[in-house]
């Protein structure tokens, strides 16, 4: 009997694990000096939801510095059942289109995702602190070996 390839599949437990980041969050961030910005403290507001039948976490963030919105991001997280890795499709207000998603996985309570481009490599490290907080570290490397912090932050759930 032929299998119906259009039949809907169900999300896996790996997809559901992303729900730890769903909700509304306030963040306290440190932006490090880079070729994109002078650096300094910032705050952020993140809204994230599980969507599209539970296969994706869709996350929107706005960063505020000196009372002004200076940066915004749109992230789409999923689990790729074919290559058994997590993926992050990341878009931001700098306007660069990533050639491919960041890819990676969990070790304990830490999700690490890495992507490369002609500009260099980015690493996103999300660590669950508890049910109501997580940390994020975004790092840059020209060669994917020596990593420099671009942003660190701690995010607390808004109830």
């Amino acid at each position: 009997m032929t299998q119906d390839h259009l039949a809907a599949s169900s999300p896996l437990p790996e997809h559901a694990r992303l729900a730890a980041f769903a909700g509304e969050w306030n963040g306290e961030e440190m932006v490090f000096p880079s070729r994109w910005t002078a650096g300094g403290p910032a705050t952020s507001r993140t809204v994230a939801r599980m969507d599209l039948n539970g296969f994706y976490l869709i996350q929107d963030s706005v960063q505020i510095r000196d009372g002004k919105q200076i940066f915004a991001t749109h992230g789409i997280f999923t689990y790729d059942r074919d290559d058994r890795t997590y993926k992050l499709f990341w878009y931001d207000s700098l306007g660069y289109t990533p050639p491919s998603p960041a890819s990676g996985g969990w070790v304990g309570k830490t999700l690490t995702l890495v992507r490369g481009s002609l500009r260099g490599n980015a690493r996103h490290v999300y660590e669950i602190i508890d049910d109501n907080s997580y940390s994020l570290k975004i790092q840059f490397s020209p060669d994917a070996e020596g990593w420099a912090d671009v942003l660190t932050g701690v995010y607390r759930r808004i109830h």
Side-chain angles (χ1 to χ4, degrees), residues 31-59:
V31 179
F32 292 84
S34 69
R35 62 184 177 193
W36 300 285
T37 184
T43 61
S44 67
R45 168 85 175 202
T46 299
V47 176
R49 70 188 188 282
M50 293 301 294
D51 208 340
L52 302 172
N53 294 330
F55 287 104
Y56 300 92
L57 174 77
I58 300 173
Q59 179 190 73

Side-chain angles (χ1 to χ4, degrees), residues 71-147:
F71 190 63
T73 66
H74 180 74
I76 302 170
F77 299 73
T78 193
Y79 178 74
D80 186 331
R81 64 180 78 223
D82 291 333
D83 72 5
R84 296 186 176 114
T85 61
Y86 285 86
K87 303 291 185 189
L88 168 58
F89 297 84
W90 179 268
Y91 305 93
D92 61 41
S93 56
L94 293 177
Y96 296 111
T97 301
S100 61
S103 186
W106 289 91
V107 174
K109 293 184 173 189
T110 303
L111 174 62
T112 303
L113 301 151
V114 179
R115 67 178 150 73
S117 74
L118 294 176
R119 291 178 312 284
N121 301 279
R123 178 166 65 183
H124 297 232
V125 182
Y126 296 83
E127 183 175 359
I128 296 172
I129 298 168
D130 58 37
D131 289 345
N132 293 306
S133 58
Y134 70 91
S135 66
L136 167 62
K137 184 184 325 183
I138 299 177
Q139 299 174 308
F140 177 79
S141 172
D143 58 9
E145 291 182 17
W147 295 95

